[in-house]
Amino acid sequence: EGRALSGAAGGERTGSAERIALAGLLGATKDLPPTAAVEVASASRAVLMIPRRLAAAADDPPIEDLELWAQVTTALKGRSARFAPATNALRTPTAFAAAWAELARDKAKTAGAFRAPIPKVNLAKAGVPA
């Protein structure tokens, strides 16, 4: 959608996998134009379950992280959104993201909640598309 290449790593000491997946999706979509299509490739089960949980929300609403679920619902409303499984094969964007996530998890254990930008040169070297 013509956006500049950007990325961030972050974490919370007590964040659940689902909460972190929701926050990551919100962070990735917050600056997109309202009609921009969203394509998510992830090796995370929590991320890949988001569309299924959204579809089931009418019959089985989430009981935790309601504020994040409301924001995700709003962020994806009226958009074309596709979620696809990816593997963490060496030298791929998903492996790069997994390495940053592991670093963020370790940092959150001692530093608490944080968010740090990933240098653009690192994103480009990892093959993360602009």
Side-chain angles (χ1 to χ4, degrees), residues 62-89:
I63 56 173
E64 294 183 4
D65 305 318
L66 293 178
E67 78 286 357
L68 289 176
W69 280 110
Q71 291 175 52
V72 166
T73 300
T74 301
L76 296 180
K77 188 175 186 173
R79 293 183 189 267
S80 168
R82 181 176 174 270
F83 288 71
T87 60
N88 288 339

Side-chain angles (χ1 to χ4, degrees), residues 2 9 32 38 52 87 107:
L32 291 177
V38 175
R52 187 173 297 163
T87 60
K107 185 173 180 174

Side-chain angles (χ1 to χ4, degrees), residues 5-6 93 96 118-130:
L5 182 62
S6 66
F96 175 78
I118 299 172
K120 289 182 183 188
V121 71
N122 290 23
L123 291 167
K125 285 180 183 177
V128 176

